[in-house]
Amino acid sequence: MNKTALRALLRERRALIAPESHGFARPTGQGRRAPGLSQHQVDQLLHRTFGTYHRLESGNYPNPPTSLLRDVARLFGLNEQEWVSLCRYALLQDPPGPLHLSSGKEVPGVWQEAVDGIGHMAYVTDASWEMLAYNSAFAGMFPGGKVPGNTLRWMLLDPHGRETLMDWHNAWAPMVLPQLRAALATRPDDDILRRIEKEILADPETADLYAAGNSHPHPDGDERPLMHALEGPGWVTMCAAQPLTAPGSRLMILVFHRGSQRAHSRAPNLRSD
C-alpha cells in the first residue's frame, strides 16, 4: 500500500463533493471546517460501519475489498485512470475490471486523425472489438475495402475472415479465442461479447478450440500469415497498445510484408542503454 499517494488522492477528491449535494446540512457556527464530505458522511453514503472510510483514507486498512474501493470511486466520481491509481495505491495491483461497464466503449475523436497519420495498417476498436477508427491502409486489406464492424467476430466466425487469416486453425483461432475469455472475465455483462461467445459455442470449428482454454493474453508482437486483398500472401506483425482513457479498447498497428518468409521473427527487442 502506498499510504501517502492513497491519502492524497482520496482527500483531494472527497474535498470536491459538497455535502449539500447528498442531502447533508453544512454545520453552522464558529470554527473552520474542511471542504467536502466528512469521513463519517462517506461511511453513511456507502452504508459502511463508522470508521471504515477513515481506515481507508489513513492507510490503516490493509487489503481493502475491491467492492469498497469501487463504491468509493463511484461516489467520488473517479475516472478510469484514477480508478487504476486507487487500486494500485491501496492494493498494489491493477483493478479486476473497469469502473463502469460503459468504459472502453469510446475514445477521443482525435484518434481518427492519429490513425490516419500512420503509414502501416492501423485501427482502433472498443472493449467489445467494435470498430471505432481505421485508416485507408487497413481498408485496403479487405476485398472492396469493406471493413468489418466487429473484428473479433470477423476473425473467428466470418468465412472471409478465415480465408484472409491464413492457417486459421493453427495460427489465428487458438490465439484469438483466449482473448475473448479474458475479456469476459473482466466484462461478464458485455452483451456484444456474450453474443459472440454464444455464436462460437454453436460453431463446431470454434467450440472445441474455445473449450480447450488456451492462454494467449494479447497479440502484441505476434507474426502470422495473412492474405492481403491487394498485396497477396504475406506475414503481418501486430503491434498492440491501449488508449488510456478507454480500458479494454486497443490500437492495432499491422506491419505487413509480402512473401512466404517471416520478416520479424528474429528481430531483436528494443531497449534503452
Side-chain angles (χ1 to χ4, degrees), residues 121 123 138 141 155 165 171-172 175-176 179 216 218-226 235-241 250-257 264:
M121 297 184 287
Y123 65 92
F138 181 65
M141 190 183 98
M155 287 189 290
L165 307 178
W172 289 90
M175 315 304 179
V176 177
Q179 295 177 56
H216 194 79
H218 60 74
D220 191 31
D222 285 359
E223 188 173 21
R224 302 176 193 165
L226 181 140
W235 290 82
V236 62
T237 303
M238 290 166 282
C239 301
R250 59 196 59 78
L251 163 67
M252 297 295 299
I253 301 174
L254 309 180
V255 183
F256 180 77
H257 290 275
H264 296 98

PDB file of all heavy atoms in Angstrom, residues 121 123 138 141 155 165 171-172 175-176 179 216 218-226 235-241 250-257 264:
ATOM      1  N   MET A 121      -1.004  -0.353 -41.801  1.00  0.00           N
ATOM      2  CA  MET A 121      -2.405  -0.594 -41.482  1.00  0.00           C
ATOM      3  C   MET A 121      -2.625  -0.357 -39.989  1.00  0.00           C
ATOM      4  O   MET A 121      -1.835  -0.815 -39.160  1.00  0.00           O
ATOM      5  CB  MET A 121      -2.792  -2.038 -41.829  1.00  0.00           C
ATOM      6  CG  MET A 121      -2.697  -2.377 -43.298  1.00  0.00           C
ATOM      7  SD  MET A 121      -3.293  -4.070 -43.635  1.00  0.00           S
ATOM      8  CE  MET A 121      -1.941  -5.053 -42.955  1.00  0.00           C
ATOM      9  N   TYR A 123      -5.865   0.490 -36.823  1.00  0.00           N
ATOM     10  CA  TYR A 123      -7.262   0.682 -36.459  1.00  0.00           C
ATOM     11  C   TYR A 123      -7.400   0.721 -34.947  1.00  0.00           C
ATOM     12  O   TYR A 123      -6.489   0.320 -34.212  1.00  0.00           O
ATOM     13  CB  TYR A 123      -8.153  -0.413 -37.061  1.00  0.00           C
ATOM     14  CG  TYR A 123      -7.895  -1.810 -36.534  1.00  0.00           C
ATOM     15  CD1 TYR A 123      -8.608  -2.309 -35.436  1.00  0.00           C
ATOM     16  CD2 TYR A 123      -6.961  -2.648 -37.136  1.00  0.00           C
ATOM     17  CE1 TYR A 123      -8.387  -3.598 -34.963  1.00  0.00           C
ATOM     18  CE2 TYR A 123      -6.727  -3.933 -36.666  1.00  0.00           C
ATOM     19  CZ  TYR A 123      -7.446  -4.404 -35.588  1.00  0.00           C
ATOM     20  OH  TYR A 123      -7.221  -5.674 -35.104  1.00  0.00           O
ATOM     21  N   PHE A 138      -5.556   0.079 -43.811  1.00  0.00           N
ATOM     22  CA  PHE A 138      -6.243  -1.071 -43.239  1.00  0.00           C
ATOM     23  C   PHE A 138      -7.419  -1.486 -44.113  1.00  0.00           C
ATOM     24  O   PHE A 138      -7.652  -2.680 -44.337  1.00  0.00           O
ATOM     25  CB  PHE A 138      -6.731  -0.744 -41.829  1.00  0.00           C
ATOM     26  CG  PHE A 138      -7.439  -1.882 -41.137  1.00  0.00           C
ATOM     27  CD1 PHE A 138      -6.767  -3.047 -40.807  1.00  0.00           C
ATOM     28  CD2 PHE A 138      -8.790  -1.793 -40.820  1.00  0.00           C
ATOM     29  CE1 PHE A 138      -7.415  -4.097 -40.174  1.00  0.00           C
ATOM     30  CE2 PHE A 138      -9.444  -2.829 -40.179  1.00  0.00           C
ATOM     31  CZ  PHE A 138      -8.758  -3.989 -39.863  1.00  0.00           C
ATOM     32  N   MET A 141      -6.850  -3.928 -46.931  1.00  0.00           N
ATOM     33  CA  MET A 141      -6.634  -5.347 -46.650  1.00  0.00           C
ATOM     34  C   MET A 141      -7.844  -6.191 -47.038  1.00  0.00           C
ATOM     35  O   MET A 141      -7.728  -7.401 -47.254  1.00  0.00           O
ATOM     36  CB  MET A 141      -6.346  -5.519 -45.153  1.00  0.00           C
ATOM     37  CG  MET A 141      -5.873  -6.894 -44.736  1.00  0.00           C
ATOM     38  SD  MET A 141      -5.659  -7.001 -42.939  1.00  0.00           S
ATOM     39  CE  MET A 141      -7.222  -7.769 -42.468  1.00  0.00           C
ATOM     40  N   MET A 155     -12.734 -12.241 -37.261  1.00  0.00           N
ATOM     41  CA  MET A 155     -11.595 -13.157 -37.166  1.00  0.00           C
ATOM     42  C   MET A 155     -12.017 -14.585 -36.867  1.00  0.00           C
ATOM     43  O   MET A 155     -11.405 -15.539 -37.339  1.00  0.00           O
ATOM     44  CB  MET A 155     -10.616 -12.665 -36.085  1.00  0.00           C
ATOM     45  CG  MET A 155      -9.813 -11.448 -36.477  1.00  0.00           C
ATOM     46  SD  MET A 155      -8.501 -11.063 -35.270  1.00  0.00           S
ATOM     47  CE  MET A 155      -9.479 -10.493 -33.868  1.00  0.00           C
ATOM     48  N   LEU A 165      -7.144 -14.861 -42.953  1.00  0.00           N
ATOM     49  CA  LEU A 165      -6.199 -15.227 -41.898  1.00  0.00           C
ATOM     50  C   LEU A 165      -5.672 -16.628 -42.198  1.00  0.00           C
ATOM     51  O   LEU A 165      -6.239 -17.637 -41.785  1.00  0.00           O
ATOM     52  CB  LEU A 165      -6.899 -15.181 -40.539  1.00  0.00           C
ATOM     53  CG  LEU A 165      -7.622 -13.858 -40.232  1.00  0.00           C
ATOM     54  CD1 LEU A 165      -8.323 -13.926 -38.894  1.00  0.00           C
ATOM     55  CD2 LEU A 165      -6.660 -12.676 -40.286  1.00  0.00           C
ATOM     56  N   ALA A 171      -2.723 -20.821 -36.615  1.00  0.00           N
ATOM     57  CA  ALA A 171      -2.006 -19.570 -36.373  1.00  0.00           C
ATOM     58  C   ALA A 171      -2.889 -18.458 -35.821  1.00  0.00           C
ATOM     59  O   ALA A 171      -2.366 -17.482 -35.268  1.00  0.00           O
ATOM     60  CB  ALA A 171      -1.338 -19.095 -37.678  1.00  0.00           C
ATOM     61  N   TRP A 172      -4.204 -18.598 -35.956  1.00  0.00           N
ATOM     62  CA  TRP A 172      -5.076 -17.489 -35.554  1.00  0.00           C
ATOM     63  C   TRP A 172      -6.085 -17.871 -34.478  1.00  0.00           C
ATOM     64  O   TRP A 172      -6.073 -17.297 -33.384  1.00  0.00           O
ATOM     65  CB  TRP A 172      -5.808 -16.924 -36.775  1.00  0.00           C
ATOM     66  CG  TRP A 172      -4.914 -16.176 -37.698  1.00  0.00           C
ATOM     67  CD1 TRP A 172      -4.218 -16.672 -38.761  1.00  0.00           C
ATOM     68  CD2 TRP A 172      -4.592 -14.786 -37.624  1.00  0.00           C
ATOM     69  NE1 TRP A 172      -3.484 -15.680 -39.368  1.00  0.00           N
ATOM     70  CE2 TRP A 172      -3.698 -14.516 -38.692  1.00  0.00           C
ATOM     71  CE3 TRP A 172      -4.983 -13.741 -36.784  1.00  0.00           C
ATOM     72  CZ2 TRP A 172      -3.183 -13.233 -38.921  1.00  0.00           C
ATOM     73  CZ3 TRP A 172      -4.473 -12.469 -37.006  1.00  0.00           C
ATOM     74  CH2 TRP A 172      -3.580 -12.224 -38.060  1.00  0.00           C
ATOM     75  N   MET A 175      -5.128 -18.410 -30.869  1.00  0.00           N
ATOM     76  CA  MET A 175      -4.554 -17.231 -30.232  1.00  0.00           C
ATOM     77  C   MET A 175      -5.607 -16.171 -29.935  1.00  0.00           C
ATOM     78  O   MET A 175      -5.485 -15.400 -28.983  1.00  0.00           O
ATOM     79  CB  MET A 175      -3.471 -16.612 -31.127  1.00  0.00           C
ATOM     80  CG  MET A 175      -2.516 -17.605 -31.726  1.00  0.00           C
ATOM     81  SD  MET A 175      -1.680 -18.638 -30.493  1.00  0.00           S
ATOM     82  CE  MET A 175      -0.687 -19.677 -31.562  1.00  0.00           C
ATOM     83  N   VAL A 176      -6.657 -16.141 -30.766  1.00  0.00           N
ATOM     84  CA  VAL A 176      -7.680 -15.104 -30.620  1.00  0.00           C
ATOM     85  C   VAL A 176      -8.730 -15.494 -29.587  1.00  0.00           C
ATOM     86  O   VAL A 176      -9.185 -14.655 -28.783  1.00  0.00           O
ATOM     87  CB  VAL A 176      -8.352 -14.817 -31.985  1.00  0.00           C
ATOM     88  CG1 VAL A 176      -9.464 -13.785 -31.827  1.00  0.00           C
ATOM     89  CG2 VAL A 176      -7.313 -14.322 -32.989  1.00  0.00           C
ATOM     90  N   GLN A 179      -8.455 -14.462 -25.931  1.00  0.00           N
ATOM     91  CA  GLN A 179      -8.661 -13.046 -25.666  1.00  0.00           C
ATOM     92  C   GLN A 179     -10.126 -12.764 -25.338  1.00  0.00           C
ATOM     93  O   GLN A 179     -10.422 -11.893 -24.515  1.00  0.00           O
ATOM     94  CB  GLN A 179      -8.212 -12.212 -26.868  1.00  0.00           C
ATOM     95  CG  GLN A 179      -6.722 -12.306 -27.139  1.00  0.00           C
ATOM     96  CD  GLN A 179      -6.323 -11.537 -28.376  1.00  0.00           C
ATOM     97  OE1 GLN A 179      -6.588 -10.347 -28.493  1.00  0.00           O
ATOM     98  NE2 GLN A 179      -5.681 -12.229 -29.318  1.00  0.00           N
ATOM     99  N   HIS A 216      -3.512 -17.037 -24.126  1.00  0.00           N
ATOM    100  CA  HIS A 216      -2.766 -16.150 -25.014  1.00  0.00           C
ATOM    101  C   HIS A 216      -3.327 -14.753 -24.774  1.00  0.00           C
ATOM    102  O   HIS A 216      -4.289 -14.349 -25.410  1.00  0.00           O
ATOM    103  CB  HIS A 216      -2.925 -16.552 -26.473  1.00  0.00           C
ATOM    104  CG  HIS A 216      -1.918 -15.898 -27.384  1.00  0.00           C
ATOM    105  ND1 HIS A 216      -0.623 -16.352 -27.500  1.00  0.00           N
ATOM    106  CD2 HIS A 216      -2.011 -14.801 -28.169  1.00  0.00           C
ATOM    107  CE1 HIS A 216       0.033 -15.578 -28.358  1.00  0.00           C
ATOM    108  NE2 HIS A 216      -0.788 -14.631 -28.769  1.00  0.00           N
ATOM    109  N   HIS A 218      -2.558 -11.521 -25.302  1.00  0.00           N
ATOM    110  CA  HIS A 218      -2.617 -10.402 -26.241  1.00  0.00           C
ATOM    111  C   HIS A 218      -1.798 -10.740 -27.490  1.00  0.00           C
ATOM    112  O   HIS A 218      -0.938 -11.631 -27.465  1.00  0.00           O
ATOM    113  CB  HIS A 218      -2.091  -9.119 -25.595  1.00  0.00           C
ATOM    114  CG  HIS A 218      -0.665  -9.225 -25.133  1.00  0.00           C
ATOM    115  ND1 HIS A 218       0.403  -9.232 -25.994  1.00  0.00           N
ATOM    116  CD2 HIS A 218      -0.141  -9.345 -23.883  1.00  0.00           C
ATOM    117  CE1 HIS A 218       1.538  -9.336 -25.314  1.00  0.00           C
ATOM    118  NE2 HIS A 218       1.233  -9.421 -24.035  1.00  0.00           N
ATOM    119  N   PRO A 219      -2.041 -10.031 -28.586  1.00  0.00           N
ATOM    120  CA  PRO A 219      -1.339 -10.343 -29.832  1.00  0.00           C
ATOM    121  C   PRO A 219      -0.072  -9.517 -30.047  1.00  0.00           C
ATOM    122  O   PRO A 219       0.569  -9.653 -31.085  1.00  0.00           O
ATOM    123  CB  PRO A 219      -2.396  -9.979 -30.890  1.00  0.00           C
ATOM    124  CG  PRO A 219      -3.110  -8.807 -30.283  1.00  0.00           C
ATOM    125  CD  PRO A 219      -3.145  -9.074 -28.789  1.00  0.00           C
ATOM    126  N   ASP A 220       0.296  -8.660 -29.103  1.00  0.00           N
ATOM    127  CA  ASP A 220       1.400  -7.733 -29.322  1.00  0.00           C
ATOM    128  C   ASP A 220       2.689  -8.470 -29.666  1.00  0.00           C
ATOM    129  O   ASP A 220       3.164  -9.320 -28.909  1.00  0.00           O
ATOM    130  CB  ASP A 220       1.610  -6.882 -28.063  1.00  0.00           C
ATOM    131  CG  ASP A 220       2.559  -5.721 -28.310  1.00  0.00           C
ATOM    132  OD1 ASP A 220       2.599  -5.207 -29.441  1.00  0.00           O
ATOM    133  OD2 ASP A 220       3.274  -5.330 -27.364  1.00  0.00           O
ATOM    134  N   GLY A 221       3.236  -8.158 -30.844  1.00  0.00           N
ATOM    135  CA  GLY A 221       4.479  -8.769 -31.292  1.00  0.00           C
ATOM    136  C   GLY A 221       4.320 -10.045 -32.082  1.00  0.00           C
ATOM    137  O   GLY A 221       5.301 -10.556 -32.641  1.00  0.00           O
ATOM    138  N   ASP A 222       3.105 -10.579 -32.144  1.00  0.00           N
ATOM    139  CA  ASP A 222       2.889 -11.819 -32.898  1.00  0.00           C
ATOM    140  C   ASP A 222       3.050 -11.574 -34.398  1.00  0.00           C
ATOM    141  O   ASP A 222       2.690 -10.518 -34.919  1.00  0.00           O
ATOM    142  CB  ASP A 222       1.478 -12.362 -32.642  1.00  0.00           C
ATOM    143  CG  ASP A 222       1.348 -13.011 -31.276  1.00  0.00           C
ATOM    144  OD1 ASP A 222       2.349 -13.057 -30.546  1.00  0.00           O
ATOM    145  OD2 ASP A 222       0.235 -13.462 -30.940  1.00  0.00           O
ATOM    146  N   GLU A 223       3.568 -12.573 -35.083  1.00  0.00           N
ATOM    147  CA  GLU A 223       3.693 -12.534 -36.538  1.00  0.00           C
ATOM    148  C   GLU A 223       2.942 -13.730 -37.116  1.00  0.00           C
ATOM    149  O   GLU A 223       3.225 -14.869 -36.755  1.00  0.00           O
ATOM    150  CB  GLU A 223       5.162 -12.570 -36.951  1.00  0.00           C
ATOM    151  CG  GLU A 223       5.379 -12.332 -38.434  1.00  0.00           C
ATOM    152  CD  GLU A 223       6.851 -12.197 -38.796  1.00  0.00           C
ATOM    153  OE1 GLU A 223       7.693 -12.668 -37.997  1.00  0.00           O
ATOM    154  OE2 GLU A 223       7.154 -11.642 -39.861  1.00  0.00           O
ATOM    155  N   ARG A 224       1.984 -13.439 -37.996  1.00  0.00           N
ATOM    156  CA  ARG A 224       1.116 -14.503 -38.504  1.00  0.00           C
ATOM    157  C   ARG A 224       0.887 -14.336 -40.006  1.00  0.00           C
ATOM    158  O   ARG A 224       0.938 -13.222 -40.537  1.00  0.00           O
ATOM    159  CB  ARG A 224      -0.235 -14.480 -37.777  1.00  0.00           C
ATOM    160  CG  ARG A 224      -0.118 -14.624 -36.262  1.00  0.00           C
ATOM    161  CD  ARG A 224      -1.454 -14.502 -35.593  1.00  0.00           C
ATOM    162  NE  ARG A 224      -1.306 -14.338 -34.146  1.00  0.00           N
ATOM    163  CZ  ARG A 224      -2.272 -13.919 -33.342  1.00  0.00           C
ATOM    164  NH1 ARG A 224      -3.468 -13.644 -33.845  1.00  0.00           N
ATOM    165  NH2 ARG A 224      -2.070 -13.793 -32.049  1.00  0.00           N
ATOM    166  N   PRO A 225       0.576 -15.441 -40.692  1.00  0.00           N
ATOM    167  CA  PRO A 225       0.353 -15.366 -42.142  1.00  0.00           C
ATOM    168  C   PRO A 225      -0.990 -14.740 -42.470  1.00  0.00           C
ATOM    169  O   PRO A 225      -1.986 -14.966 -41.775  1.00  0.00           O
ATOM    170  CB  PRO A 225       0.400 -16.841 -42.562  1.00  0.00           C
ATOM    171  CG  PRO A 225      -0.033 -17.592 -41.342  1.00  0.00           C
ATOM    172  CD  PRO A 225       0.498 -16.814 -40.175  1.00  0.00           C
ATOM    173  N   LEU A 226      -0.998 -13.945 -43.544  1.00  0.00           N
ATOM    174  CA  LEU A 226      -2.222 -13.225 -43.908  1.00  0.00           C
ATOM    175  C   LEU A 226      -2.294 -13.037 -45.412  1.00  0.00           C
ATOM    176  O   LEU A 226      -1.277 -12.757 -46.070  1.00  0.00           O
ATOM    177  CB  LEU A 226      -2.242 -11.871 -43.188  1.00  0.00           C
ATOM    178  CG  LEU A 226      -3.462 -10.978 -43.422  1.00  0.00           C
ATOM    179  CD1 LEU A 226      -3.881 -10.304 -42.118  1.00  0.00           C
ATOM    180  CD2 LEU A 226      -3.162  -9.892 -44.462  1.00  0.00           C
ATOM    181  N   TRP A 235       3.135 -11.903 -44.420  1.00  0.00           N
ATOM    182  CA  TRP A 235       3.145 -12.032 -42.953  1.00  0.00           C
ATOM    183  C   TRP A 235       2.868 -10.678 -42.323  1.00  0.00           C
ATOM    184  O   TRP A 235       3.387  -9.658 -42.765  1.00  0.00           O
ATOM    185  CB  TRP A 235       4.493 -12.562 -42.470  1.00  0.00           C
ATOM    186  CG  TRP A 235       4.710 -13.995 -42.830  1.00  0.00           C
ATOM    187  CD1 TRP A 235       5.148 -14.481 -44.029  1.00  0.00           C
ATOM    188  CD2 TRP A 235       4.463 -15.128 -41.992  1.00  0.00           C
ATOM    189  NE1 TRP A 235       5.204 -15.858 -43.991  1.00  0.00           N
ATOM    190  CE2 TRP A 235       4.795 -16.285 -42.749  1.00  0.00           C
ATOM    191  CE3 TRP A 235       4.025 -15.287 -40.683  1.00  0.00           C
ATOM    192  CZ2 TRP A 235       4.686 -17.574 -42.244  1.00  0.00           C
ATOM    193  CZ3 TRP A 235       3.926 -16.572 -40.162  1.00  0.00           C
ATOM    194  CH2 TRP A 235       4.253 -17.692 -40.935  1.00  0.00           C
ATOM    195  N   VAL A 236       2.030 -10.688 -41.300  1.00  0.00           N
ATOM    196  CA  VAL A 236       1.694  -9.447 -40.611  1.00  0.00           C
ATOM    197  C   VAL A 236       2.181  -9.543 -39.173  1.00  0.00           C
ATOM    198  O   VAL A 236       1.971 -10.546 -38.493  1.00  0.00           O
ATOM    199  CB  VAL A 236       0.172  -9.166 -40.659  1.00  0.00           C
ATOM    200  CG1 VAL A 236      -0.633 -10.246 -39.956  1.00  0.00           C
ATOM    201  CG2 VAL A 236      -0.140  -7.799 -40.078  1.00  0.00           C
ATOM    202  N   THR A 237       2.878  -8.504 -38.736  1.00  0.00           N
ATOM    203  CA  THR A 237       3.321  -8.400 -37.349  1.00  0.00           C
ATOM    204  C   THR A 237       2.440  -7.372 -36.652  1.00  0.00           C
ATOM    205  O   THR A 237       2.232  -6.268 -37.158  1.00  0.00           O
ATOM    206  CB  THR A 237       4.786  -7.958 -37.256  1.00  0.00           C
ATOM    207  OG1 THR A 237       5.588  -8.882 -37.984  1.00  0.00           O
ATOM    208  CG2 THR A 237       5.244  -7.916 -35.807  1.00  0.00           C
ATOM    209  N   MET A 238       1.902  -7.749 -35.500  1.00  0.00           N
ATOM    210  CA  MET A 238       0.932  -6.917 -34.804  1.00  0.00           C
ATOM    211  C   MET A 238       1.566  -6.160 -33.648  1.00  0.00           C
ATOM    212  O   MET A 238       2.263  -6.749 -32.817  1.00  0.00           O
ATOM    213  CB  MET A 238      -0.224  -7.779 -34.289  1.00  0.00           C
ATOM    214  CG  MET A 238      -1.101  -8.295 -35.422  1.00  0.00           C
ATOM    215  SD  MET A 238      -2.218  -9.623 -34.907  1.00  0.00           S
ATOM    216  CE  MET A 238      -1.077 -10.993 -34.874  1.00  0.00           C
ATOM    217  N   CYS A 239       1.334  -4.866 -33.636  1.00  0.00           N
ATOM    218  CA  CYS A 239       1.765  -4.004 -32.536  1.00  0.00           C
ATOM    219  C   CYS A 239       0.499  -3.510 -31.843  1.00  0.00           C
ATOM    220  O   CYS A 239      -0.335  -2.847 -32.465  1.00  0.00           O
ATOM    221  CB  CYS A 239       2.580  -2.830 -33.048  1.00  0.00           C
ATOM    222  SG  CYS A 239       4.065  -3.313 -33.969  1.00  0.00           S
ATOM    223  N   ALA A 240       0.333  -3.855 -30.582  1.00  0.00           N
ATOM    224  CA  ALA A 240      -0.902  -3.549 -29.859  1.00  0.00           C
ATOM    225  C   ALA A 240      -0.633  -2.550 -28.739  1.00  0.00           C
ATOM    226  O   ALA A 240       0.374  -2.633 -28.040  1.00  0.00           O
ATOM    227  CB  ALA A 240      -1.511  -4.821 -29.284  1.00  0.00           C
ATOM    228  N   ALA A 241      -1.558  -1.608 -28.571  1.00  0.00           N
ATOM    229  CA  ALA A 241      -1.488  -0.633 -27.488  1.00  0.00           C
ATOM    230  C   ALA A 241      -2.914  -0.304 -27.065  1.00  0.00           C
ATOM    231  O   ALA A 241      -3.880  -0.704 -27.723  1.00  0.00           O
ATOM    232  CB  ALA A 241      -0.744   0.623 -27.930  1.00  0.00           C
ATOM    233  N   ARG A 250      -8.329  -0.971 -27.925  1.00  0.00           N
ATOM    234  CA  ARG A 250      -6.993  -1.293 -28.401  1.00  0.00           C
ATOM    235  C   ARG A 250      -6.688  -0.562 -29.705  1.00  0.00           C
ATOM    236  O   ARG A 250      -7.564  -0.403 -30.568  1.00  0.00           O
ATOM    237  CB  ARG A 250      -6.831  -2.811 -28.592  1.00  0.00           C
ATOM    238  CG  ARG A 250      -7.811  -3.426 -29.560  1.00  0.00           C
ATOM    239  CD  ARG A 250      -7.901  -4.930 -29.439  1.00  0.00           C
ATOM    240  NE  ARG A 250      -8.297  -5.366 -28.123  1.00  0.00           N
ATOM    241  CZ  ARG A 250      -9.560  -5.332 -27.680  1.00  0.00           C
ATOM    242  NH1 ARG A 250     -10.524  -4.838 -28.453  1.00  0.00           N
ATOM    243  NH2 ARG A 250      -9.848  -5.756 -26.476  1.00  0.00           N
ATOM    244  N   LEU A 251      -5.459  -0.120 -29.795  1.00  0.00           N
ATOM    245  CA  LEU A 251      -4.907   0.385 -31.051  1.00  0.00           C
ATOM    246  C   LEU A 251      -4.062  -0.728 -31.638  1.00  0.00           C
ATOM    247  O   LEU A 251      -3.162  -1.246 -30.973  1.00  0.00           O
ATOM    248  CB  LEU A 251      -4.042   1.627 -30.818  1.00  0.00           C
ATOM    249  CG  LEU A 251      -3.089   2.017 -31.965  1.00  0.00           C
ATOM    250  CD1 LEU A 251      -3.877   2.469 -33.195  1.00  0.00           C
ATOM    251  CD2 LEU A 251      -2.107   3.084 -31.518  1.00  0.00           C
ATOM    252  N   MET A 252      -4.358  -1.111 -32.862  1.00  0.00           N
ATOM    253  CA  MET A 252      -3.596  -2.156 -33.540  1.00  0.00           C
ATOM    254  C   MET A 252      -2.901  -1.557 -34.762  1.00  0.00           C
ATOM    255  O   MET A 252      -3.542  -0.915 -35.599  1.00  0.00           O
ATOM    256  CB  MET A 252      -4.517  -3.295 -33.983  1.00  0.00           C
ATOM    257  CG  MET A 252      -5.202  -4.030 -32.845  1.00  0.00           C
ATOM    258  SD  MET A 252      -4.065  -4.921 -31.760  1.00  0.00           S
ATOM    259  CE  MET A 252      -3.320  -6.066 -32.918  1.00  0.00           C
ATOM    260  N   ILE A 253      -1.599  -1.747 -34.828  1.00  0.00           N
ATOM    261  CA  ILE A 253      -0.811  -1.364 -35.997  1.00  0.00           C
ATOM    262  C   ILE A 253      -0.290  -2.658 -36.607  1.00  0.00           C
ATOM    263  O   ILE A 253       0.370  -3.459 -35.933  1.00  0.00           O
ATOM    264  CB  ILE A 253       0.352  -0.441 -35.618  1.00  0.00           C
ATOM    265  CG1 ILE A 253      -0.185   0.836 -34.948  1.00  0.00           C
ATOM    266  CG2 ILE A 253       1.178  -0.076 -36.856  1.00  0.00           C
ATOM    267  CD1 ILE A 253       0.903   1.749 -34.398  1.00  0.00           C
ATOM    268  N   LEU A 254      -0.607  -2.871 -37.873  1.00  0.00           N
ATOM    269  CA  LEU A 254      -0.274  -4.127 -38.554  1.00  0.00           C
ATOM    270  C   LEU A 254       0.813  -3.869 -39.592  1.00  0.00           C
ATOM    271  O   LEU A 254       0.598  -3.152 -40.567  1.00  0.00           O
ATOM    272  CB  LEU A 254      -1.520  -4.701 -39.238  1.00  0.00           C
ATOM    273  CG  LEU A 254      -2.777  -4.825 -38.353  1.00  0.00           C
ATOM    274  CD1 LEU A 254      -3.926  -5.402 -39.170  1.00  0.00           C
ATOM    275  CD2 LEU A 254      -2.502  -5.681 -37.128  1.00  0.00           C
ATOM    276  N   VAL A 255       1.979  -4.426 -39.345  1.00  0.00           N
ATOM    277  CA  VAL A 255       3.113  -4.262 -40.252  1.00  0.00           C
ATOM    278  C   VAL A 255       3.147  -5.473 -41.183  1.00  0.00           C
ATOM    279  O   VAL A 255       3.423  -6.596 -40.745  1.00  0.00           O
ATOM    280  CB  VAL A 255       4.428  -4.149 -39.456  1.00  0.00           C
ATOM    281  CG1 VAL A 255       5.600  -3.914 -40.415  1.00  0.00           C
ATOM    282  CG2 VAL A 255       4.338  -3.009 -38.435  1.00  0.00           C
ATOM    283  N   PHE A 256       2.841  -5.237 -42.457  1.00  0.00           N
ATOM    284  CA  PHE A 256       2.692  -6.330 -43.415  1.00  0.00           C
ATOM    285  C   PHE A 256       3.877  -6.397 -44.363  1.00  0.00           C
ATOM    286  O   PHE A 256       4.368  -5.375 -44.843  1.00  0.00           O
ATOM    287  CB  PHE A 256       1.412  -6.140 -44.227  1.00  0.00           C
ATOM    288  CG  PHE A 256       1.156  -7.215 -45.250  1.00  0.00           C
ATOM    289  CD1 PHE A 256       0.667  -8.455 -44.859  1.00  0.00           C
ATOM    290  CD2 PHE A 256       1.435  -6.995 -46.584  1.00  0.00           C
ATOM    291  CE1 PHE A 256       0.441  -9.460 -45.797  1.00  0.00           C
ATOM    292  CE2 PHE A 256       1.213  -7.992 -47.537  1.00  0.00           C
ATOM    293  CZ  PHE A 256       0.715  -9.232 -47.134  1.00  0.00           C
ATOM    294  N   HIS A 257       4.336  -7.630 -44.625  1.00  0.00           N
ATOM    295  CA  HIS A 257       5.391  -7.866 -45.607  1.00  0.00           C
ATOM    296  C   HIS A 257       4.958  -9.015 -46.518  1.00  0.00           C
ATOM    297  O   HIS A 257       4.554 -10.076 -46.040  1.00  0.00           O
ATOM    298  CB  HIS A 257       6.714  -8.216 -44.918  1.00  0.00           C
ATOM    299  CG  HIS A 257       7.331  -7.069 -44.192  1.00  0.00           C
ATOM    300  ND1 HIS A 257       8.147  -6.144 -44.809  1.00  0.00           N
ATOM    301  CD2 HIS A 257       7.228  -6.670 -42.901  1.00  0.00           C
ATOM    302  CE1 HIS A 257       8.541  -5.241 -43.927  1.00  0.00           C
ATOM    303  NE2 HIS A 257       7.991  -5.529 -42.769  1.00  0.00           N
ATOM    304  N   HIS A 264       9.936 -10.548 -39.114  1.00  0.00           N
ATOM    305  CA  HIS A 264      10.342 -10.014 -37.818  1.00  0.00           C
ATOM    306  C   HIS A 264      10.558 -11.081 -36.744  1.00  0.00           C
ATOM    307  O   HIS A 264      10.784 -10.747 -35.583  1.00  0.00           O
ATOM    308  CB  HIS A 264       9.286  -9.029 -37.304  1.00  0.00           C
ATOM    309  CG  HIS A 264       9.142  -7.812 -38.167  1.00  0.00           C
ATOM    310  ND1 HIS A 264       8.162  -7.699 -39.113  1.00  0.00           N
ATOM    311  CD2 HIS A 264       9.858  -6.667 -38.224  1.00  0.00           C
ATOM    312  CE1 HIS A 264       8.267  -6.532 -39.721  1.00  0.00           C
ATOM    313  NE2 HIS A 264       9.290  -5.884 -39.205  1.00  0.00           N
TER     314      HIS A 264
END
